[in-house]
């Protein structure tokens, strides 16, 4: 009997019906394994925090689309950077045909590393470490902490930052990566009127609601006069040399700066900012109120880009600053700090490769920029003006980007002033961001 | 320090404290997981998960149409009715972004960002993402053509545009050979 049963089962195992069942079982098992494998691949591609998120306490009550997943489990450290190298060839003649005495310069202008760390989905640290002009060894370059702050991203309308912050004024100061602006050099108005790159220690809030965004910080004030490594305000560079660059900034005087931007359509922006502060830092026997306001706008449509900015500066008690700085009065006294400064520019560009159906991601943009600025628009009584500080500049050139992260630039600058001592120059540059 | 400067400092400290306290209460925010994203794409429906294994020829055709590298020949997607949802991860600057691209009848219905590891300043706004709605795979689906950029976040706009083109191209390849 037992032998018969073994024989029957052997026959059944050999029958076509049994083979099909086994094949089906094998196929089912293969499909199951394949499904597991594709799910594992998906998890690897998208990240386990997206596919299998770990819910945190109190995560009820908000619609799923109201917030985003910031990967907390992996990729906590962020490294990035940008840089630019430039060549400037200055004209041998000034505007008035006198010898300029200017030399050509090849410069490793900036090599910057970003380092960030994401502690969790709402607290991150961000920093920008800047190496300027190749080396500190020759007394020409410097290493600086351009930004280093903690960011508390609570919700869309409200966040907070504290640390070394970029002052939120103008177009270029906060977004100064060289792939983001045309021209080898930054706009002069955003160097001499808004002293980019301008960073300072402070804290504040930021956020956005629909098309409106804002930033409002309290920061250490500027330093109007020379002391402990800061040279103070000047006739030709305006507020620029009054920046402490977050290096043990005197905080006897503070300042507030608030910016509001409105984005009517993506890629177009209208905004303004106001800076109110004091700059005596107890080195001047009087308060030195500083007020800066600016309005800016930019738009882009298809290959065309247009941007414009106007800024004004008022310095109170500029005569007391001059006295503290030892600026001579009378006929030779043309080195006064301006008690009013202003500047504006308008720039247009067109990416001609956008006309091609498939530009392969390249862009080639001829651009032109007009700038007018004066760091001595008004000076205190007893002090005269230097007409060389009333300037008009024209820049025309090309920006070529083989990929969005790399730019090759060339331009010519006609630099004019009312003293007719301007020196034209042409510039070449390469820039990258990663 | 003069009294008005103390006011500056005090107001800054109060603002910071208010934000941090708010943050402590709100930091456990809801996460937009893949499950939540699928609920947005297929409200009230249970989508079927499918996986396409592209041949070399299919991948090459998709890359040509997308004008971008695919990165993978294995594409999982979710289908219910005429709606298909794809999930895609790509680097923005050095860190990754994960998005869901929802297609309806072969056109973009909407795009949702699930994860963004770059600083929040570079995140595309919902208003920018709305530009992608109704788009198909054509020459206008490109920055400086049919799409406007993101002010101050060009790399995000470039990366998202490439991602959507990749998804549309893969979708076309899968469905042209089914």
């Amino acid at each position: 009997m037992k032998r018969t049963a073994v024989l029957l089962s052997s026959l059944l195992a050999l029958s076509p019906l049994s083979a099909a069942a086994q094949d089906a079982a094998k196929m089912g098992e293969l499909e199951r394994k394949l499904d597991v494998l594709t799910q594992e691949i998906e998890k690897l591609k998208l990240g386990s925090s997206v596919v299998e998120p770990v819910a945190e306490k109190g995560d009820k009550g908000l619609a799923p689309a109201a917030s985003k997943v910031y990967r907390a489990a992996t990729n906590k450290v962020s490294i990035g950077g940008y840089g630019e190298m430039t060549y400037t060839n200055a004209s041998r003649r000034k505007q008035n045909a006198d010898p300029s005495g200017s030399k050509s310069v090849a410069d490793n202008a900036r090599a910057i590393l970003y380092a960030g760390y994401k502690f969790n989905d709402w607290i991150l640290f961000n920093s920008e470490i800047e190496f300027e002009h190749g080396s500190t060894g020759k007394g020409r370059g410097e290493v600086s902490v351009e930004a280093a702050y903690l960011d508390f991203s609570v919700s869309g309308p409200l966040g907070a930052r504290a640390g070394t912050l970029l002052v939120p004024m103008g177009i270029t100061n906060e977004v100064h990566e060289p792939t983001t602006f045309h021209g080898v050099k930054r706009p002069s108005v955003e160097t001499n009127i808004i002293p980019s790159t301008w960073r300072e220690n402070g804290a504040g809030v930021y956020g956005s609601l629909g098309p409106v965004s804002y930033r409002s910080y309290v920061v250490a004030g500027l330093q109007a006069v020379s002391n402990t490594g800061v040279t103070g305000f000047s006739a030709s560079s305006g507020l620029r040399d009054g920046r402490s660059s977050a290096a043990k900034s005197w905080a006897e005087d503070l300042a507030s700066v608030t910016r509001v931007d409105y984005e009517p359509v993506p890629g177009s922006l209208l905004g303004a900012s106001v800076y109110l502060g004091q700059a005596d830092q107890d080195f001047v026997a009087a308060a030195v109120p500083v007020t800066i306001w600016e309005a800016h706008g930019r738009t882009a449509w298809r290959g065309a880009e247009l941007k414009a900015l106007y800024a004004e500066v008022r310095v109170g008690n500029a005569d007391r600053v001059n006295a503290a700085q030892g600026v001579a009065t009378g006929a030779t006294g043309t080195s006064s700090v301006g008690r009013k400064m202003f500047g504006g520019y308008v720039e247009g560009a067109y990416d001609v490769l956008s006309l091609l159906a498939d530009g392969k991601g390249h862009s080639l943009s001829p651009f032109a920029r007009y700038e007018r600025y004066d760091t001595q628009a008004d000076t205190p009584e007893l002090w005269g003006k230097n007409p060389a500080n009333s300037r008009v500049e024209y820049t025309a050139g090309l920006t070529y980007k083989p990929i969005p992260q790399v730019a090759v630039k060339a331009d010519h600058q006609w630099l004019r002033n009312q003293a007719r001592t301007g020196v034209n120059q042409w510039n070449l540059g390469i820039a990258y961001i990663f | 320090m003069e009294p008005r400067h103390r006011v500056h400092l005090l107001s800054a400290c109060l603002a910071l404290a208010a934000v941090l306290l708010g943050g402590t209460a709100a930091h456990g925010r809801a996460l937009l997981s893949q499950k939540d994203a699928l609920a947005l794409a297929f409200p009230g429906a249970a989508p079927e998960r499918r996986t396409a294994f592209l041949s070399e020829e299919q991948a090459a055709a998709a890359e040509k149409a997308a004008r971008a590298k695919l990165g993978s020949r294995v594409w999982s997607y979710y289908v219910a009715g005429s709606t298909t949802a794809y999930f895609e991860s790509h680097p923005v600057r050095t860190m990754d972004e994960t998005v869901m691209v929802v297609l309806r009848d072969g056109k973009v219905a909407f795009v949702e960002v699930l994860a963004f590891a770059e600083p929040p300043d570079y995140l595309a706004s919902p208003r920018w993402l709305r530009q992608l709605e109704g788009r198909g795979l054509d020459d206008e689906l490109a920055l400086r053509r049919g799409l406007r950029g993101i002010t101050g976040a060009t790399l995000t706009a470039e990366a998202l545009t490439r991602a959507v083109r990749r998804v549309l191209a893969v979708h076309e390849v899968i469905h042209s050979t089914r």
Side-chain angles (χ1 to χ4, degrees):
Chain A
M1 186 67 188
K2 191 176 177 185
R3 195 174 295 167
T4 312
V6 169
L7 191 62
L8 272 173
S9 61
S10 301
L11 284 169
L12 278 171
L14 289 171
S15 74
L17 192 64
S18 169
Q22 282 188 345
D23 284 350
K26 277 183 185 171
M27 283 292 286
E29 179 60 10
L30 278 175
E31 279 181 7
R32 189 191 68 78
K33 286 179 178 174
L34 198 58
D35 196 44
V36 170
L37 276 174
T38 57
Q39 286 186 31
E40 289 296 317
I41 289 171
E42 191 172 18
K43 200 189 294 179
L44 285 171
K45 284 161 80 174
L46 305 183
S48 57
S49 61
V50 169
V51 179
E52 293 174 346
V54 179
E56 296 179 37
K57 282 183 184 174
D59 63 352
K60 310 293 182 193
L62 282 176
S67 61
K68 309 291 179 188
V69 176
Y70 294 94
R71 289 184 188 180
T74 56
N75 297 336
K76 286 185 171 184
V77 177
S78 166
I79 301 289
Y82 72 87
E84 56 184 330
M85 289 166 228
T86 63
Y87 171 77
T88 297
N89 185 298
S91 170
R92 301 293 178 208
R93 297 280 168 191
K94 292 182 184 173
Q95 196 181 343
N96 60 11
D98 287 348
S100 71
S102 300
K103 295 181 188 299
S104 300
V105 176
D107 190 18
N108 185 345
R110 289 182 176 87
I112 278 80
L113 284 176
Y114 292 116
Y117 188 82
K118 192 164 278 185
F119 296 95
N120 57 26
D121 71 333
W122 70 288
I123 302 177
L124 63 84
F125 169 76
N126 216 4
S127 70
E128 184 178 337
I129 312 296
E130 175 162 280
F131 297 79
E132 279 193 342
H133 311 302
S135 170
T136 57
K138 306 297 176 191
R140 296 172 179 172
E142 62 180 47
V143 178
S144 299
V145 177
E146 191 109 294
Y149 59 88
L150 282 170
D151 194 315
F152 306 91
S153 175
V154 177
S155 66
L158 185 62
R161 286 175 180 149
T164 301
L165 304 168
L166 292 166
V167 175
M169 298 200 82
I171 295 172
T172 307
N173 196 55
E174 288 180 295
V175 184
H176 51 253
E177 290 86 346
T179 52
T180 63
F181 58 85
H182 293 292
V184 176
K185 310 280 184 183
R186 298 172 182 180
S188 297
V189 170
E190 294 205 77
T191 301
N192 293 298
I193 304 298
I194 297 172
S196 298
T197 308
W198 185 10
R199 75 268 191 183
E200 198 42 271
N201 297 325
V205 292
Y206 72 93
S208 61
L209 199 59
V212 178
S213 62
Y214 71 93
R215 291 183 277 296
S216 185
Y217 305 156
V218 172
V219 295
L222 290 160
Q223 184 178 321
V225 299
S226 175
N227 193 286
T228 52
V230 174
T231 54
F233 300 164
S234 69
S236 61
S237 299
L239 308 177
R240 188 169 185 79
D241 296 327
R243 301 170 303 170
S244 297
S245 302
K248 286 184 82 171
S249 303
W250 297 115
E252 287 298 311
D253 289 311
L254 302 175
S256 67
V257 56
T258 300
R259 171 196 186 100
V260 177
D261 286 312
Y262 171 63
E263 193 178 36
V265 291
S268 294
L269 191 80
L270 285 171
S273 63
V274 177
Y275 174 99
L276 299 168
Q278 303 279 335
D280 58 271
Q281 301 294 1
D282 284 357
F283 296 125
V284 184
V288 181
V290 175
T291 304
I292 312 170
W293 69 267
E294 62 85 22
H296 55 264
R298 64 187 308 170
T299 189
W301 185 75
R302 300 190 78 85
E305 295 172 68
L306 184 68
K307 64 180 181 180
L309 176 144
Y310 180 80
E312 252 188 49
V313 177
R314 304 272 177 169
V315 178
N317 290 324
D319 51 344
R320 305 294 284 271
V321 176
N322 285 342
Q325 294 280 63
V327 178
T329 57
T332 56
T334 57
S335 297
S336 169
V337 169
R339 66 179 178 187
K340 179 185 173 187
M341 311 173 204
F342 75 87
Y345 71 88
V346 59
E347 179 188 283
Y350 192 83
D351 175 12
V352 294
L353 296 184
S354 69
L355 297 169
L356 303 177
D358 178 13
K360 310 272 185 206
H362 297 226
S363 75
L364 179 67
S365 303
F367 76 95
R369 184 167 67 226
Y370 166 80
E371 299 187 74
R372 167 84 178 96
Y373 63 101
D374 190 344
T375 48
Q376 281 183 314
D378 190 21
T379 50
E381 292 173 15
L382 306 179
W383 281 273
K385 299 180 193 177
N386 182 348
N389 292 322
S390 180
R391 288 162 271 191
V392 172
E393 297 181 4
Y394 303 90
T395 306
L398 276 174
T399 304
Y400 169 62
K401 292 185 186 177
I403 56 173
Q405 296 99 319
V406 169
V408 180
K409 304 177 179 184
D411 63 54
H412 190 276
Q413 293 190 291
W414 293 265
L415 308 179
R416 311 293 174 90
N417 63 57
Q418 287 187 356
R420 296 183 56 75
T421 55
V423 179
N424 297 344
Q425 60 191 32
W426 59 269
N427 310 294
L428 299 173
I430 55 170
Y432 59 87
I433 182 171
F434 61 89
Chain B
M1 189 182 288
E2 293 173 39
R4 66 177 174 280
H5 303 141
R6 288 200 189 96
V7 173
H8 270 318
L9 198 58
L10 190 61
S11 58
C13 291
L14 284 173
L16 194 59
V19 169
L20 294 182
L21 287 171
T24 309
H27 88 276
R29 292 174 289 167
L31 307 178
L32 186 60
S33 63
Q34 189 182 36
K35 190 178 163 192
D36 290 334
L38 286 169
L40 286 177
F42 304 98
E48 180 193 349
R49 181 176 180 277
R50 296 178 187 168
T51 301
F53 299 86
L54 304 184
S55 67
E56 285 187 14
E57 293 74 21
Q58 285 177 313
E63 287 186 348
K64 190 177 176 190
R67 296 171 190 162
K69 294 283 181 195
L70 288 192
S72 172
R73 284 164 55 196
V74 181
W75 284 74
S76 293
Y77 56 102
Y78 297 79
V79 185
S82 61
T83 302
T84 311
Y86 291 83
F87 293 87
E88 209 266 3
S89 279
H90 52 261
V92 176
R93 197 177 56 184
T94 54
M95 305 296 279
D96 285 352
E97 173 179 43
T98 300
V99 296
M100 175 178 71
V101 181
V102 179
L103 307 183
R104 202 159 288 141
D105 300 321
K107 306 270 186 191
V108 177
F110 66 92
V111 177
E112 191 72 31
V113 181
L114 279 74
F116 191 77
E118 296 284 3
D121 291 356
Y122 301 120
L123 183 64
S125 68
R127 296 173 73 239
W128 190 87
L129 293 172
R130 279 201 288 276
Q131 285 187 102
L132 298 162
E133 295 173 7
R135 300 271 178 189
L137 188 61
D138 57 28
D139 292 340
E140 288 300 288
L141 185 60
L143 290 174
R144 297 179 295 281
R145 288 183 70 84
L147 298 179
R148 291 171 175 270
I150 301 174
T151 310
T154 312
L155 297 185
T156 305
E158 296 274 2
L160 274 168
T161 305
R162 278 196 300 273
V164 172
R165 288 192 69 92
R166 265 196 294 272
V167 165
L168 283 165
V170 166
H171 185 77
E172 271 189 16
V173 163
I174 294 171
H175 292 83
S176 65
T177 53
R178 281 177 70 88

